[in-house]
Amino acid sequence: MKAETMSVDSKSPPLVSVVMPVLNEEKYIAEALESLANQEYPNIELIVVDDGSSDSTPDILENYSKCSSSPFPLEVIRHAEPKGVSAAKNTGLAKAKGKYLAIVAGDDVQRRNRISLPAGILEEHSSCDIVFLDCDMIDFEGNPLNRKKGYPERMTGKNAMLFQLRRNHLFSGLFLARREACPTFDETLPSGVDYEWSWRALLEKRRIRILHDSVTKYRIHQNNLSANAAQSSEALARTMGKLDLEAVRDDLSKEGFPKDEIAVGLAWASLAANRPEQCLGYLRDLKNQDDGLKREQSFASGVAWWKTGNLHEAEKAFTTILEDSPSDAVSANNLAVLLALQGKDPHQVAALLEQAVKQRSEYRDASDNLTQARKGDLVTLRFTERPLRDNVIHDQHYRL
C-alpha cells in the first residue's frame, strides 16, 4: 500500500541533515550526489565523511563542492585513515544540525522524494520518531534487478520488535529520524551494525513507521557484500547476546501479542545468540500455534538440534517440514546436509539439493552444495540457519 502524499510547508521546512559515509566510491559517488541535488525537499545539508579513500573519491568531492550548482550546502570531512563505516556515520551525525537525520550510501541513487516523503510524515505525526522506507535493487551498472528489499507482510511499526527478534529488517540507509531518536552506531562491531542500532532504538521505545514506498535504488556490487560469514555470525551473537530476552518477553506481553508468537521470536533470538538449549526451552512453551508458527517451531528446533549435535532430532524436524511443505528449499538443503553428515545415501543427498535449487535458483547454499555433491564432496556442505527472506537482498552471503 502506497503512503498518502504528505505536504511540507514550503515557507519554513525544517532542516534535514543527510550523512553520506564513503570509502573508495569513485565509480558511483557523482551519481549519488546528483540524486541528492535533485531532491524535491528544499532544506537539506549534506555531510560527506570520507573514511580515508585511496582512489579519486576525494578529488571528485572537491570538484563537486567547487563546481556544483547544488541547492544545498555540502561539507566534506575526511578521516586520515579508515576507521570503519560506523565511525564515519558517527562523525557525520555529530556534525549534523538538522531537526531530522538521514544516512545514505555513496553508491546508491536516491529518488526525488527520499527526504520529502518521510519528512512530511514526521511533521504531521508527532507520535512518530523514525520512518523506514523501501528500496529497489540495481546492479553495478545501474540496471534494475526487479526486486525490492521488502518487509514481512505483517510487519508494522507496532510489532517491529517481534519481527526483529527473528532477523534484521530495519536498515540505516532507509530511514529518516528525529534528531533525538537516532542512536549512534557501535564502532566495535565488524558487521551487523544496523541490527544492533535498530535494537537500541526499539528498546528506547522509539516509535517507528514502516512505508513500502521505494525511495532508493540500492546498488548491488562486489564491494558491498559481506565476505566473512564467521565474523558476521560473531557480531550477531554479540548483539543478540546482550538482549535481556525475559524483559523483551515482558514488553511484548504487555503489548498483547500472542504468547506463542513471542516464544517463537525469542527462540530465534536465542539461536542468534548461540544458545540452542535456550531456544529449545522457549519452543517447549508453545501451545496452540497456527500452521506458520508450527513450521517455524520445527525449523528453529531443527537448527537448535543441529547446533547441539543431535543430528537425528534435527533430521526429524526438517523431514516434518518437507512432509507438509515439499517446496521448502531451505528444509530440503538442510535435510541433505544432515543426511550427508550421517553418511547416508549420497543419491538422496543430491536429489534433495536439486529440489532446493529448483525451488529457489538464487539460493546460494543449495547451489554451492549441489556443486560440491556432484564432485563427491559431502563434507563441506553448508547448513542454512534461517529461512530465506521473501526477497533476497544479496545473491551472495544473503544470510548476513
Side-chain angles (χ1 to χ4, degrees), residues 361-382:
S361 60
E362 78 282 13
Y363 177 18
R364 288 296 299 269
D365 279 359
S367 59
D368 289 350
N369 285 346
L370 181 58
T371 299
Q372 294 302 106
R374 285 172 173 169
K375 293 178 181 178
D377 179 4
L378 299 182
V379 177
T380 60
L381 303 186
R382 276 192 351 203

Side-chain angles (χ1 to χ4, degrees), residues 22 26 77 106 141 144 188 193 219 272 305 317 330 342 361 369 391:
V22 299
E26 62 183 5
I77 303 169
E141 293 181 332
T188 69
V193 176
R219 196 183 304 270
W305 288 124
V330 183
Q342 297 174 83
S361 60
N369 285 346
N391 300 314

Side-chain angles (χ1 to χ4, degrees), residues 379-392:
V379 177
T380 60
L381 303 186
R382 276 192 351 203
F383 188 91
T384 303
E385 297 183 29
R386 289 178 182 272
L388 299 182
R389 297 177 188 268
D390 290 337
N391 300 314
V392 172

Side-chain angles (χ1 to χ4, degrees), residues 1-259:
M1 178 179 177
K2 288 283 184 182
E4 62 216 87
T5 302
M6 304 278 184
S7 62
V8 176
D9 183 356
S10 59
K11 295 181 181 179
S12 56
L15 178 66
V16 174
S17 297
V18 179
V19 174
M20 178 189 286
V22 299
L23 176 63
N24 296 333
E25 300 289 2
E26 62 183 5
K27 293 181 181 179
Y28 309 115
I29 192 168
E31 186 178 9
L33 291 168
E34 284 302 316
S35 71
L36 288 168
N38 291 324
Q39 289 296 300
E40 61 190 20
Y41 190 86
N43 192 13
I44 295 172
E45 65 166 0
L46 174 59
I47 303 167
V48 179
V49 183
D50 181 2
D51 192 35
S53 292
S54 57
D55 64 359
S56 62
T57 297
D59 296 330
I60 296 171
L61 289 170
E62 183 177 1
N63 291 335
Y64 189 88
S65 62
K66 289 179 179 177
C67 306
S68 172
S69 58
S70 173
F72 55 76
L74 166 64
E75 180 176 3
V76 179
I77 303 169
R78 180 169 170 79
H79 289 169
E81 57 185 29
K83 297 181 179 180
V85 66
S86 293
K89 290 175 182 177
N90 288 340
T91 295
L93 291 175
K95 284 282 187 178
K97 300 185 289 290
K99 178 180 180 181
Y100 302 130
L101 306 176
I103 294 174
V104 301
D107 54 358
D108 292 344
V109 180
Q110 309 301 324
R111 290 198 166 94
R112 296 190 71 243
N113 64 342
R114 167 64 180 90
I115 303 301
S116 61
L117 176 59
I121 290 172
L122 292 176
E123 282 293 278
E124 283 198 26
H125 299 275
S126 59
S127 60
C128 181
D129 295 314
I130 309 174
V131 178
F132 288 92
L133 302 114
D134 208 341
C135 67
D136 288 290
M137 287 165 232
I138 57 176
D139 67 15
F140 69 99
E141 293 181 332
N143 300 310
L145 294 174
N146 300 316
R147 63 180 189 258
K148 289 187 175 184
K149 180 190 83 65
Y151 295 92
E153 184 178 349
R154 295 188 301 110
M155 184 176 182
T156 66
K158 291 183 178 179
N159 65 16
M161 184 180 287
L162 195 60
F163 279 84
Q164 286 293 99
L165 284 169
R166 290 161 164 82
R167 68 180 348 136
N168 185 40
H169 299 284
L170 303 176
F171 294 170
S172 65
L174 293 172
F175 78 77
L176 189 73
R178 298 185 188 277
R179 180 189 192 86
E180 65 276 10
C182 181
T184 56
F185 291 82
D186 187 339
E187 299 179 22
T188 69
L189 284 174
S191 63
V193 176
D194 281 2
Y195 203 8
E196 193 276 342
W197 174 89
S198 66
W199 265 109
R200 276 190 287 126
L202 291 171
L203 292 173
E204 291 171 3
K205 310 298 184 186
R206 300 306 181 185
R207 301 156 299 179
I208 74 170
R209 181 166 176 177
I210 294 173
L211 300 183
H212 297 275
D213 301 70
S214 175
V215 296
T216 297
K217 297 179 182 179
Y218 176 77
R219 196 183 304 270
I220 303 291
H221 57 90
Q222 186 174 5
N223 291 343
N224 66 10
L225 299 179
S226 174
N228 191 329
Q231 192 178 68
S232 296
S233 296
E234 179 187 351
L236 177 60
R238 282 176 54 189
T239 294
M240 302 309 285
K242 291 190 298 184
L243 289 183
D244 183 342
L245 293 184
E246 289 305 303
V248 172
R249 187 212 285 261
D250 290 344
D251 283 347
L252 292 171
S253 297
K254 290 175 184 176
E255 292 294 324
F257 294 111
K259 290 182 178 179

